[in-house]
Amino acid sequence: MTSPLLSLSGVSRHFGALKAVDDVSLDVPAGARHALIGPNGAGKSTLFKLITGSMPVTAGTLTLAGQDLTGRSEPQRARRGISQTLQHSSLFLSQTVEDNVLLAAQRRHGSRHSLLPRRQAAARDRVGGLLVDVGLEDRAGTPVASLSHGERRQLEVAVALACEPQLLLLDEPAAGMSPAESGRLVRLLRSLPASVTLVIVEHDLDVVFALADAVTVLHLGRVLLTGTPDEVRASPAVQEAYLGTGRENLFLDGPSSTAGTPGTSVRTEVV
Amino acid sequence: MSDVAIVPAAESAPPPASPGRPPGRGPRRVVPAVLALLILLVLAAVPLFVDPFGTSTLSRVLVFALFAVSLDLLVGVTGLPSLGHAAYFGVGAYTAGLISLHVTSEGVVPVLAAAGAGAVAAATTGWLAVRSSGVFFLMLTLAIGELVFQLAQSLSSVTGGSNGLFGIPAVRVGGAALTLPGYVYWFVLVVAVLGFGMMWLISRSPFGAVLRGIRDNEPRMRSLGYSPFRYKLAAFVLAGGFAGLAGGLFAAQVRLVTPSEAGTAASSLVLLAVILGGAGTLWGPVLGAAVVVWVRDALGPNLDGHGPLVLGLVFVIAVYVLPRGFAGLAGLRARRTGPTGPTGGTA
Amino acid sequence: MAGWFDANLVSILNGFAIGSLLFILAVGLSIVFGMMDVLNLAHGALYLVGSYLAVTFAAGEPSWGGFLTALGIAALAGLIAGGALSGMTEPLARRPILDQALLTLGVSLVVAEVLSIIYGNDVFSISPPPGLDGSVAVAGNAYPTYRLALIGVGLVLAVIVFVVVERTSVGALVRASVADRDMVSAMGIDNRKVKVAVLAIGSMLATVAGVLGGPVYGARPGLDDTILILALVVVVIGGLGSVKGALIGALVIGQVESLGRALLPDLASFILFGTLALVLVLRPRGLFGPRKLAGT
């Protein structure tokens, strides 16, 4: 048994009396495709921020490949191989698609301190390859401000991958995507090498069950259950957690039948 | 500054091509290069055709333009609106003046020392300013500018107090003193063009791309593994260095340095030049500087010395009608060519 | 210790007088920014307008009539100027807050220049009204009566502002606006009317401070920048939008300005900057600043 890539131990985040994330312990082995799900207010987004370092933990420790990162800042964690896409697109709006990805790629390719213009051939090749992967190769020179919502999500993924992460955190990457776009995203994420470990927060259960080999259910800031997708679907405890939201049949029916209830309301409730 | 991130690119003015793209590719590169060369030739020929007063006014424009472009590196490229940038101009001017008086007035020595002093002053004060953002940054830089102004006034044994530092000897090149305005102009032109060139290269470099990234979306840069503080401080120091360089040229050209060179009014004027010209474009502030100097030095005497009143009114009007400066006007036409790295949320 | 205190009593009292003046200035600046996100860089110019009004109306033989006239006209001018500023910044309300700051910077350049056209570049001194123009003995030192009175006025104003902000419904509105502006407009309160009122009162405090500060600082070109920066330093140290912060900041900076200059005249500017730096390193949002930075 190799040691996990990402290991959370007793991680908590309190806002006054509110325990948004409460004593979460979680091991994500290298190469895993790990999904985080849970009802609204379960603490998924907070946990996400605690892992990326944009928010400090109240208690607990966090290690990446055996290194303690608890006290490290967000940029330091990013340089150690944690990359992320955010729930709301966070891009460089006045710049082109290519420049956006290049900003991420040039940090890896060593020329970021240069005060003189550089060709950055290696970084540009990588950018070109990533744009092909996410399907934006025809949009390289387009300003981000004129991209569609779905295209921006795709670009987010390209930017995150350009950091060459060990651990890629995706916060609702398929939000607002068309079925075709999210299908493409799933194929892209599936094709990622095992050297990239995925942790994904997603409300589109099609995407979750198509990708994940392990699922953690959060409820009220605590881990309710971690298991395979099948175990999670079958778990009475998980159904219990969702009962309050009136979606008790959600997991019983399997992913494809979520279309039975109005899709949008399911999505907002499950998130 | 989250404000910056929501500026639609369509409203921003596109430079001729994407920054960071290797230079020397495609016809879109050739036209600006030819244009720049032509402008350079015309500028070099000025002393041959223009009277000494006009020539020295143009020298002032060049000095002020270099100063304004150095501020644009902060305001437009990095998104840090400084209201105390004259502090580093003043430090440079005093340094060059003192070195000319007490050590040597041989060409590059005072000017380079001025640039170094500006950078050092920016490093010692910038670490504090750069920790903050938005209006806090504005207030802190304002306070820094006032600090330098008061120092210049109170350290009268060194700076000459409110009378200023006078009797600065003419700048020398290869031992010969440059007393004619035409020669001084050429000296200023060479140094200023080198300064412009360096800042242009910096803004097109990977480092410049990082600065624009910080301007557009600082939190995202952090999550990409960049430490914004270091880059902002580096930008602040570079901008301070180039402002110091401009101050050094000022001392060589005017040969009198007073505390007001470092004061709030001077900082406001140079910010006006940047806003008026269009922040983030580097060439816009050059035009803005020309307008400011022209109103103050050429138009001012005809207005009973109340040029600042006109400039204040121009400032007020510019904020309303030219949110992207002159460069914004050009951008209206050139919008379709693919905007890249223009104005911050400042103008 | 007692000897040191005696020797520097005059400086300490001066510090309180300056602090009192700075509080009047800074509380307006701070509330306008805290509530309305308008950084009013014309605040110093408004102060100078007050000082020059004192030059005009309190000139010649010192009289209460002249002084009070100056105060009244300054207050009126401040209210009008604040209303005008509010109107001028309204078209920029949807633009970055920096644009509004730049607008007020332009306004301050214009106002300062107009003042120098009217009053020239001379340095004016302003005499206090009769009865306050002498000096009283304070622990064996002669001390100008006017400055003691200024300390008193500052204290009274501080109490009034505190009572208004902490105890009245208007004050509750002020505090709510500082904390969460959207909530206040969601409650159906017209944000624009609030803005006019807040800017008018803030500007009035600046012009009134100009008259009150006249007998201490006089009136001269460039005073507007000096005053603006002192007020800004007070606001930054105290924290934007905090009345308590403005008071503590004003008292600290008053002592730094007075005692610092008396004890270490060459380093006074460094001490001012050093105080600012120290506070910001320890408390980046100021001593009593909001948890979240408004508007940046």
Side-chain angles (χ1 to χ4, degrees), chain B residues 142 150 306 319-320 346-347, chain C residues 88 95 99 113 117 232 269:
Chain B
L142 195 64
Q150 288 188 4
H306 294 304
V319 172
Y320 285 115
T346 46
Chain C
M88 289 176 78
R95 300 243 296 264
D99 285 13
E113 198 54 30
I117 290 173
L232 283 179
S269 308

Side-chain angles (χ1 to χ4, degrees), chain A residues 18-60:
Chain A
L18 173 71
K19 294 173 176 174
V21 170
D22 188 17
D23 193 23
V24 167
S25 296
L26 187 66
D27 283 339
V28 179
R33 272 77 182 110
H34 198 112
L36 284 175
I37 61 172
N40 265 335
K44 302 185 301 294
S45 290
T46 308
L47 184 60
F48 199 86
K49 287 178 185 159
L50 298 179
I51 299 174
T52 61
S54 61
M55 187 185 278
V57 298
T58 311

Side-chain angles (χ1 to χ4, degrees), chain B residues 209-231:
Chain B
V210 174
L211 297 185
R212 268 188 292 273
I214 290 171
R215 176 197 69 195
D216 283 0
N217 194 342
E218 185 171 333
R220 187 65 176 136
M221 288 305 276
R222 218 174 277 130
S223 74
L224 292 182
Y226 293 96
S227 301
F229 174 80
R230 292 180 202 167
Y231 287 90

Side-chain angles (χ1 to χ4, degrees), chain B residues 245-338:
Chain B
L245 181 71
L249 284 182
F250 177 87
Q253 198 235 331
V254 180
R255 293 163 64 183
L256 165 70
V257 183
T258 61
S260 65
E261 257 67 77
T264 306
S267 290
S268 312
L269 277 191
V270 73
L271 188 57
L272 170 62
V274 173
I275 305 285
L276 202 56
T281 57
L282 298 193
W283 60 266
V286 175
L287 293 185
V291 170
V292 169
V293 173
W294 179 72
V295 169
R296 190 189 59 189
D297 294 354
L299 205 60
N302 301 327
L303 301 167
D304 275 353
H306 294 304
L309 181 60
V310 178
L311 288 174
L313 292 172
V314 169
F315 207 140
V316 171
I317 294 166
V319 172
Y320 285 115
V321 299
L322 285 179
R324 305 286 157 230
F326 295 146
L329 296 179
L332 292 179
R333 214 162 35 77
R335 188 176 286 179
R336 289 183 164 277
T337 56

Side-chain angles (χ1 to χ4, degrees), chain C residues 26-40 43 195 198-203 241:
Chain C
V27 77
L29 197 60
S30 185
I31 287 183
V32 167
F33 187 85
M35 285 183 70
M36 290 295 135
D37 267 357
V38 177
L39 178 64
N40 185 7
H43 214 65
K195 184 176 172 184
V198 167
L199 259 167
I201 291 173
S203 303

